[in-house]
Amino acid sequence: MQRNILRAANFQVLQKRFFKKHHVRVRFAPSPTGNLHLGGLRTALYNYLFARRKQGAFILRIEDTDQTRIVPDAIEKLQDDLLWAGIISDEDPIRGGPVGPYKQSARLELYQEQVLKLLDNGSAYYCFCTEERLVLLRKEAMKCRQVPRYDNRCRHYSKDEVKEMLRKNRSPCIRFKLSCTPESFCDMIYGDVTHDIAKTEGDPVIIKADGYPTYHFANVVDDHFMKISHVLRGIEWQVSTPKHIMLYKAFGWEPPIYGHLPLILNTDGSKLSKRQGDIDIESFRKQGIFPLALLNYVITAGAGGFHKEQEDQNLYSYQELIKQFDVNKIKTSSGKLMPEKLLQLNKLEIANLLRDEENHSFLVDRVRKLVLKAFPERRNDGSLQLDDYHIITTLKWAQNRISMLNDLVKTELAFLWVVPTSAPSIKQNMIRLLNAELAEMDVNNYKTDWIAPYLKDFAAKKGIPFAALMKILRSILSGVKDGPPVAEMMEILGKDRTLLRLRRCVS
């Protein structure tokens, strides 16, 4: 586990010593229908920061009532991604808590109990419409160029008619009666909002025929019983909020305070999609992106929410993210992702980690695993250079040349770890002479600013075209045509490794 994540965890422990009563309780409630992506990460982050800023509680709840769409292992991957990002929940399916369980599929009895209250007070009703009838309704609406909606037919059955239908063992769903009066609310971010949903929607299903609740019903019941005080979620849910408030009123409960986050858009202005493989948190992890860089990237996507804007050469730490966060400063306009910004931020994080020697063992382990994975055929032949000193020296040399650790094992930098498998056909006398002269040099002279002019002078004295000499040396040192300047290769390899590769050609 990365040290910056551990620092965040330790900071959380210190904060919790001073917690009294959780006046602020927020939740991140994803569905296990796929991998966590940038939009979900931002929602989790803003809820986490809000809770920490207010010395409240951050809850992770899994909304898995749609059993047909569940992806195997999605819950475990999601929790692992959040932990990797340093977003650590106070209550969740693993560690539990006072208002669990934290998976909706384990709360079915609660939903069944609560829906009876709505049936008893007349806020909900059994619906016996078949799927065939609902399909016909949709087709008829589309034929008339109308928005498909349920016609609320079953709302008007008498009690005796309902009893008779239930007696025939039909499997009904349960619908909630929408109010014909528009429901307004004050959005923490967008201000006063009104959606007259009864004009565009029929009465929604709250308990499906299989006994499972729909999102809207389970969401409201869980938020109430988990004592959620504030709901921060994506703008796409704003239109559903009046429906949720109606459910709260039907129960006689007090709704939480709602706030909706603006959209994150792709560079071309299109909406993010779960089908995009390049916005999964897992994909960023595999690329070698660091957690803190990714969190800082997410907050640069236009939503705002911070007292002080980031400077170009600065990364917010976990403590600074908490300190600077202000929900009142979240913007209402959508923001676009800037992939080049992510690479800049990741480069900054590599440099920050390198400055603290406490991070070196973690970096060494990370690079070593990366190299072994990239060159499996060299794993056991002893030719890979993976000692701690070489790895840290290489990282310091490369920190301004790479944006991700994965860049270290690209073809043009493979020479850092692997001795070329074949030696070029060259005039051995020239290499012997160069080898002898370089061997006499003090190790402290193996610096680019000295080596480059030395090689030019050597080529001139021996009557060798400088370009030809560079081509030969590049082939000897790296085995590839492209890459860093030869002098830089010699500097990062150091005296001993440079001479070892030259000697291979004259042995």
Side-chain angles (χ1 to χ4, degrees):
M1 186 58 61
Q2 299 184 25
R3 290 185 180 274
N4 52 353
I5 292 179
L6 293 175
R7 288 200 297 268
N10 292 335
F11 182 68
Q12 177 183 334
V13 171
L14 288 172
Q15 278 194 319
K16 290 178 72 174
R17 291 180 185 174
F18 301 98
F19 284 177
K20 295 180 181 178
K21 185 177 180 180
H22 292 323
H23 297 293
V24 168
R25 287 177 62 83
V26 296
R27 48 72 170 175
F28 176 53
S31 299
T33 56
N35 292 335
L36 181 66
H37 61 83
L38 281 181
L41 179 69
R42 187 192 62 177
T43 299
L45 173 65
Y46 277 36
N47 275 280
Y48 172 80
L49 296 178
F50 184 66
R52 295 291 168 262
R53 189 80 174 89
K54 300 293 186 179
Q55 293 191 335
F58 171 65
I59 294 100
L60 174 65
R61 183 175 76 222
I62 302 299
E63 300 195 339
D64 60 344
T65 56
D66 190 346
Q67 296 287 297
T68 62
R69 297 177 60 221
I70 291 176
V71 174
D73 301 325
I75 296 176
E76 291 74 15
K77 288 182 179 178
L78 186 146
Q79 291 182 284
D80 184 54
D81 283 339
L82 289 176
L83 182 62
W84 171 84
I87 300 175
I88 303 168
S89 50
D90 300 294
E91 303 166 29
D92 59 44
I94 293 179
R95 60 172 54 84
V99 292
Y102 294 87
K103 290 171 63 176
Q104 287 185 336
S105 58
R107 299 169 66 85
L108 298 182
E109 187 176 343
L110 174 64
Y111 307 135
Q112 294 293 341
E113 291 174 357
Q114 297 306 311
V115 79
L116 291 177
K117 295 180 181 179
L118 298 186
L119 288 168
D120 289 343
N121 68 21
S123 298
Y125 60 91
Y126 290 105
C127 176
F128 301 92
C129 292
T130 63
E131 183 61 30
E132 290 77 14
R133 181 176 186 272
L134 297 177
V135 169
L136 287 174
L137 281 176
R138 285 194 289 269
K139 287 182 178 179
E140 186 63 26
M142 294 177 70
K143 182 179 178 181
C144 298
R145 296 184 179 180
Q146 296 175 346
V147 177
R149 53 182 292 190
Y150 178 58
D151 62 0
N152 299 346
R153 184 178 80 167
C154 293
R155 180 199 272 222
H156 307 293
Y157 286 144
S158 67
K159 290 184 178 180
D160 290 338
E161 287 175 315
V162 170
K163 286 181 180 178
E164 179 62 21
M165 290 181 174
L166 288 174
R167 190 182 65 80
K168 292 178 180 178
N169 295 322
R170 301 185 67 172
S171 298
C173 65
I174 300 175
R175 292 183 182 269
F176 175 69
K177 294 180 180 178
L178 293 179
S179 170
C180 59
T181 304
E183 191 69 57
S184 300
F185 70 99
C186 183
D187 192 301
M188 280 193 291
I189 297 163
Y190 287 82
D192 292 335
V193 175
T194 302
H195 290 295
D196 190 356
I197 56 175
K199 278 189 175 182
T200 58
E201 297 184 33
D203 291 339
V205 175
I206 54 176
I207 297 290
K208 293 175 285 187
D210 62 4
Y212 275 81
T214 60
Y215 164 81
H216 302 290
F217 183 71
N219 182 278
V220 166
V221 171
D222 287 341
D223 281 352
H224 171 73
F225 282 96
M226 291 183 176
K227 305 184 187 303
I228 300 302
S229 63
H230 298 73
V231 172
L232 276 175
R233 58 188 179 188
I235 187 63
E236 65 272 18
W237 295 110
Q238 190 185 68
V239 70
S240 298
T241 302
K243 189 185 306 180
H244 297 166
I245 293 175
M246 288 180 189
L247 278 163
Y248 272 98
K249 287 186 174 181
F251 278 115
W253 299 337
E254 182 181 352
I257 299 170
Y258 289 93
H260 294 87
L261 304 172
L263 289 174
I264 298 178
L265 303 175
N266 288 305
T267 306
D268 60 4
S270 61
K271 293 182 181 180
L272 300 186
S273 169
K274 284 188 176 182
R275 295 182 180 88
Q276 287 179 240
D278 60 344
I279 63 167
D280 287 346
I281 305 310
E282 184 179 14
S283 71
F284 292 110
R285 294 177 65 172
K286 288 180 178 179
Q287 291 172 40
I289 297 297
F290 284 98
L292 201 54
L294 191 60
L295 295 186
N296 278 262
Y297 177 53
V298 165
I299 70 173
T300 63
F306 295 85
H307 281 290
K308 187 174 66 175
E309 293 293 331
Q310 282 179 304
E311 298 175 2
D312 287 342
Q313 299 300 316
N314 184 46
L315 275 173
Y316 279 148
S317 66
Y318 287 95
Q319 290 88 341
E320 288 169 332
L321 284 168
I322 294 169
K323 181 180 179 181
Q324 295 295 335
F325 182 73
D326 185 350
V327 71
N328 296 313
K329 292 189 176 296
I330 296 177
K331 301 173 184 177
T332 58
S333 56
S334 301
K336 294 181 180 180
L337 293 172
M338 298 179 290
E340 67 280 0
K341 182 68 174 177
L342 176 59
L343 297 181
Q344 294 170 10
L345 292 168
N346 205 59
K347 182 179 288 189
L348 282 173
E349 177 65 349
I350 292 173
N352 289 344
L353 290 170
L354 272 171
R355 273 194 289 272
D356 187 348
E357 290 189 3
E358 290 187 2
N359 295 317
H360 285 190
S361 61
F362 154 72
L363 290 170
V364 165
D365 182 64
R366 181 81 176 270
V367 171
R368 186 175 287 128
K369 289 178 179 177
L370 197 62
V371 174
L372 289 171
K373 184 178 180 180
F375 307 106
E377 71 282 359
R378 297 297 190 94
R379 180 184 290 267
N380 299 316
D381 65 5
S383 65
L384 292 176
Q385 187 63 48
L386 292 174
D387 60 275
D388 292 9
Y389 176 79
H390 177 63
I391 291 175
I392 292 299
T393 302
T394 299
L395 276 171
K396 288 179 178 179
W397 168 82
Q399 63 181 304
N400 294 322
R401 297 169 170 83
I402 63 172
S403 299
M404 303 177 289
L405 291 186
N406 291 29
D407 293 340
L408 290 170
V409 293
K410 288 183 177 178
T411 302
E412 62 269 23
L413 293 182
F415 77 93
L416 295 168
W417 321 105
V418 180
V419 176
T421 54
S422 60
S425 177
I426 56 172
K427 295 181 178 179
Q428 293 196 6
N429 288 338
M430 178 190 70
I431 297 303
R432 279 198 187 94
L433 186 58
L434 179 60
N435 179 67
E437 292 198 18
L438 289 173
E440 294 299 319
M441 295 299 166
D442 182 11
V443 69
N444 293 324
N445 283 336
Y446 272 73
K447 302 294 180 184
T448 300
D449 57 358
W450 177 86
I451 294 175
Y454 169 80
L455 292 175
K456 284 185 179 180
D457 184 59
F458 178 85
K461 287 181 179 179
K462 305 304 176 184
I464 307 168
F466 182 67
L469 177 62
M470 293 301 97
K471 183 178 180 180
I472 291 170
L473 287 177
R474 180 180 297 281
S475 181
I476 292 173
L477 296 175
S478 72
V480 295
K481 295 180 180 179
D482 300 311
V486 170
E488 287 191 26
M489 286 187 182
M490 293 172 67
E491 177 181 337
I492 189 58
L493 287 173
K495 179 178 180 178
D496 292 342
R497 296 185 187 92
T498 297
L499 294 177
L500 180 64
R501 297 187 186 197
L502 288 173
R503 287 168 186 155
R504 285 180 63 248
C505 299
V506 295
S507 60

